[in-house]
């Protein structure tokens, strides 16, 4: 059995470093997966898979809302995790049964109105089960004090998925094949790990149900809107656009969303830590630096895309380079704001304010959905990117407003932000020079893209190490943790 810890027991710096390490690996694999799917199958099959998998994630989001309560309340000092896990499992089983019963009579309508084909329903069921297990396992890990482990678990899972897909490339050809392979790998990896944690679900009592309901009544709708806000362009383009438009937008989003995904990963240890400290009555003085600094990778990614977007476009979609380039730049730029509001929203959830997070996303969707609805059929992925930009601008503005009300400040650290902006300028300049030099030397697009990524990271991190004392502290602690891990392995 794994030793359990409360949220206030974890070291946020150490947890964030470990989370970032795993997130860099898992997010890199996530970005590459879009290319692997397109290479192994086709842009149309990849677009169908994206639409189906993202739709499943939306339908199952209420389960994530309740498992978020497991993470929030289970991480508080003095709370027992077992009954909250039991409540999450009971709710998940009931929800899956009800969702299946509702979907069955609507099958013909779903086939007529979306890109879903009749042969996809069996793979969808297995995939839905794997997504449910992923949600509960991630929340359980955070609830018992190990939020950083989930990113490394996701890394291992993603690596196995891509290896299996490449090994079966001659037989995997459809969206249904992708769903089956990915679902099978997830279940094979997550089921043993969840059992190993040693947390046995128990029947919830009145206290458990009361506390969970107080949080979940806002967390459940918030998680639905969270998924809608993240994948809104895909949902709309899947209805008003074409599978190819969905494929172009989602592949561009996976590249551009690298930094925002790191911020989203970092929000889990932040929520756990804030939840534990808030319940214990501890101060939250670290929030401004954690929220602003947690957006750092979004600046790196945008600097890279500014310099190398056309190179990436030639690799990913050679027949739609201009559309892909414009889409990836729009999404990459606005994701700087997304990284900030994601971390700030989770901090507010950590102090028990999921209603605030719900409202901000609702406002964002109200302003943004009309953009791809009206222009999606004509402009495809570009309309999706424009709608995504409007949504994030609105949510960012409201999060800043509500953070002032909840915490008495905006959670914005101007010094850290200035260092990140300077790093963006330097990384863009160094990467642009590297791309120009490699292309004039006749290097392949893949070699140019890979070398440019390394150059961008070196330029950005080098600048921050020179001007930022907190960056040097993080680097020093990360080095110490890595050396400690190496020593423990060699013993």
């Amino acid at each position: 059995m794994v030793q359990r810890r409360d949220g206030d027991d974890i070291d946020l710096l150490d947890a964030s470093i470990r989370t970032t390490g795993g997130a860099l690996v898992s997010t890199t694999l996530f970005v590459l997966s879009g290319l692997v799917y397109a290479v192994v199958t086709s842009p149309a099959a990849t677009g169908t898979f994206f639409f189906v998998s993202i739709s499943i994630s939306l339908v199952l989001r209420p389960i994530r809302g309740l498992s978020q309560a497991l993470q929030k309340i289970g991480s508080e000092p003095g709370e027992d995790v077992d009954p909250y896990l039991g409540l999450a499992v009971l709710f998940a089983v009931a929800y899956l049964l009800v969702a299946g019963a509702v979907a069955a009579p609507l099958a013909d309508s779903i086939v007529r109105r979306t890109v879903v084909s009749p042969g996809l329903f069996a793979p969808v069921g297995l995939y839905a089960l794997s997504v449910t297990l992923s949600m509960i396992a991630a929340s359980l890990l955070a609830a018992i004090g190990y939020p950083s482990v989930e990113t490394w678990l996701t890394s291992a899972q993603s690596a196995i998925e891509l290896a299996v897909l490449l090994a079966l490339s001659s037989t995997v050809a459809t969206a249904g094949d992708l769903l089956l392979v990915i679902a099978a790998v997830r279940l094979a990896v997550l089921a043993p790990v969840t059992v190993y944690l040693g947390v046995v679900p128990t029947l919830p009592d009145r206290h458990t149900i009361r506390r969970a309901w107080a949080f979940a009544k806002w967390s459940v709708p918030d998680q639905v809107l969270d998924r809608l806000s993240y994948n809104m362009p895909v949902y709309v383009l899947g209805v008003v656009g074409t599978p190819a438009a969905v494929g172009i937008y989602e592949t561009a989003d996976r590249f551009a969303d690298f930094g925002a995904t790191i911020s989203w990963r970092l929000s889990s240890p932040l929520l756990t830590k804030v939840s534990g400290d808030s319940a214990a009555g501890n101060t939250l003085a670290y929030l401004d630096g954690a929220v602003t600094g947690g957006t750092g990778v979004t600046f790196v990614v945008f600097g890279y895309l500014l310099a190398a977007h056309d190179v990436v476009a030639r690799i990913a979609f050679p027949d739609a380079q201009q559309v892909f380039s414009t889409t990836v730049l729009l999404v990459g730029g606005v994701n700087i704001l997304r990284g900030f509001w994601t971390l700030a929203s989770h901090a507010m959830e950590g102090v028990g304010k999921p209603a605030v997070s719900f409202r901000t996303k609702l406002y964002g969707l109200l302003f943004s959905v009309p953009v791809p609805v009206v222009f999606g059929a004509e402009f495809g992925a570009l309309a999706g990117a424009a709608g995504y930009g409007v949504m994030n601008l609105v949510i960012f503005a409201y999060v800043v407003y509500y953070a002032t009300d909840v915490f008495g400040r905006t959670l914005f650290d101007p010094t850290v932000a200035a260092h990140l902006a300077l790093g963006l300028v330097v990384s863009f300049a160094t990467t642009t020079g590297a791309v120009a030099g490699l292309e004039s030397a006749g290097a392949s697009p893949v070699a140019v893209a890979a070398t440019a990524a390394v150059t961008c990271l070196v330029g950005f991190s080098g600048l921050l190490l020179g001007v930022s004392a907190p960056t040097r502290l993080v680097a020093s602690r990360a080095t110490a943790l890595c050396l400690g891990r190496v020593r423990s392995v060699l013993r």
Side-chain angles (χ1 to χ4, degrees), residues 15-27 29 138 141 146-158 261-262 264-269:
S16 297
I17 290 171
R18 293 190 178 101
T19 298
T20 300
L24 287 172
V25 177
S26 63
T27 307
L29 294 173
L141 281 165
Y146 298 91
S148 59
V149 173
E150 193 267 335
T151 60
W152 289 103
L153 186 61
T154 301
S155 299
Q157 171 189 296
S158 299
T261 301
I262 299 295
W264 172 66
R265 296 290 189 187
L266 288 171
S267 67
S268 182

Side-chain angles (χ1 to χ4, degrees), residues 369-417:
V369 168
V371 177
V373 167
V374 174
F375 301 105
E378 182 178 357
F379 295 100
L382 293 177
Y388 182 82
V390 170
M391 177 183 61
N392 279 279
L393 285 168
V394 173
I395 295 177
F396 173 79
Y398 275 108
V399 164
V400 169
Y401 171 77
Y402 281 119
T404 304
D405 182 54
V406 173
F407 298 107
R409 59 191 192 277
T410 62
L411 305 184
F412 179 77
D413 188 315
T415 301
V416 174

